[in-house]
Amino acid sequence: MPVDGSLDQLKREGRIVVVGASLAGLRAAETLRAKGFAGSLTMIGDEPCEPYDRPPLSKGVLLGKAAAERTALPRLRSIDATWRLGVPAGGLDMAARRVRLADGDEVPYDRLLIATGVRARPWPREEEAELDGVFVLRTRDHGAALARRLAEGPRRVLVIGAGFTGSEIASACRERGLPVTVAERGAAPLVGALGGVVGAVAAELHREHGVDLRTGVMVTALEGDSSGRVRAAHLSDGSTLETDVVVVSLGAIRNTEWLAGSGLGAGPRGIACDAGCRAFDIRGIVTDDIYAAGDVARCPHPLFGYQFLSLEHWGNAVAQAEIAAHNMVSGSTDRVPHMEVPAFWSSQFGVNVKSVGVPSMATEILIAQGSLESRRFVGVYGYQGRVIGAVAFDQARWLPFYQELIESTAPFPPAFATVDRHTDGQRPLDADFPDPSVPTHGPTVTLSGYSPADRRMTFTPAH
């Protein structure tokens, strides 16, 4: 029976459904149990396996140092859940409080958490995407299949897109001794996430490690041989590249299509939520029984001008899941906002890259520690006179310090005499982010606006 009474009744007898057997979904389920939820818990996932860790797929798995099937996430506690795996959600009936599955079944809920995440953006021409040797990298099966092909020693690997994932794939290929070409339509690798100043350093790392890096170009077509195997790629500069493995790393698509027509405020940018992870409906009214967490959520952040942020971060998925779970079983006065400062890390070409905040909002950057030439530095990002982000190349020990500056809305440029500054009196530089109307590959933070001009909704009268 539906539970519409007290929170105590919800915690004793309620039905909570989590759509998305993901990192966020699992950590939310564990938090629900830790908060005393004793009702029924159903986990719905489109993949046939239980939640696993994705970062190793572009690192250890591709290097042959880890098996894709051994990336299951560790359990922090028993969640005593009913698992509905291998069948994706196909629709949502908000009025009846039911999730429709693709196989026609329906699962009722009293509280719903949506943690469906993102999927890899495929190559746009379906017949070319289906050529043998063309891969994307997002799921465990993707990682296993690509690792097997790399182990066979292809003549040349082409990576399309030089965001974080594309750069990590290129790094793994070079570590395995494989010839690799990277095609990036932006001016440099990582330019959409970290800007041109840092992107220039990333470009040098690629080339110094033997990557054939081609920037300012797009792949216009993939060509197969008579057996249906990829053999070449055609580029926008008129060149043709012979290749037998292509990895498409064009960013991600948020998994919200199944919510079309449901009345929930969901679309290509994610699910619009309040700061407590409660989802909005299409009228802009917050729901009290539907929550979102992880890559699919789009929440305003007080530290960043209440911009709606969609974050593709491992740490954000965990923190947001815990906040959502807490609020699902709490009264209004006990709910808390999601205030986690975004953080991201990557390992490529022997360098540990970590960032905090939202660098892509910035207009300026100051190299506060180390130097760009040494590839050991901290860059601090500024926007409208305050610190809003920082990135470290092999200098991660400084990031907690800069996170505190972000949290305290410290002024930019920061002024302190005790910090290691290689160049006294150094001035901020233009951060050199590309025009946002020209997309680049692989941003990890998407700013999706707070302006009334951002409204693109059509209201249909209920019947």
Side-chain angles (χ1 to χ4, degrees), residues 214-273:
R214 306 190 188 188
T215 57
V217 299
M218 294 188 295
V219 175
T220 56
L222 301 176
E223 180 184 334
D225 60 19
S226 58
S227 66
R229 186 160 185 165
V230 67
R231 63 172 296 274
H234 300 278
L235 279 63
S236 59
D237 61 5
S239 62
T240 298
L241 180 76
E242 291 189 1
T243 178
D244 47 353
V245 171
V246 175
V247 188
V248 180
S249 187
L250 298 178
I253 299 173
R254 289 177 173 81
N255 292 318
T256 58
E257 292 88 347
W258 67 282
L259 295 167
S262 67
L264 203 64
R269 294 177 173 182
I271 300 169
C273 305

Side-chain angles (χ1 to χ4, degrees), residues 50-86:
E50 293 189 12
Y52 56 88
D53 203 17
R54 296 186 192 276
L57 299 179
S58 59
K59 302 176 178 72
V61 170
L62 292 192
L63 290 170
K65 297 179 179 179
E69 62 272 14
R70 296 181 66 85
T71 54
L73 287 165
R75 298 294 183 87
L76 304 179
R77 63 186 300 126
S78 171
I79 61 172
D80 186 25
T82 298
W83 293 85
R84 303 291 298 271
L85 299 176

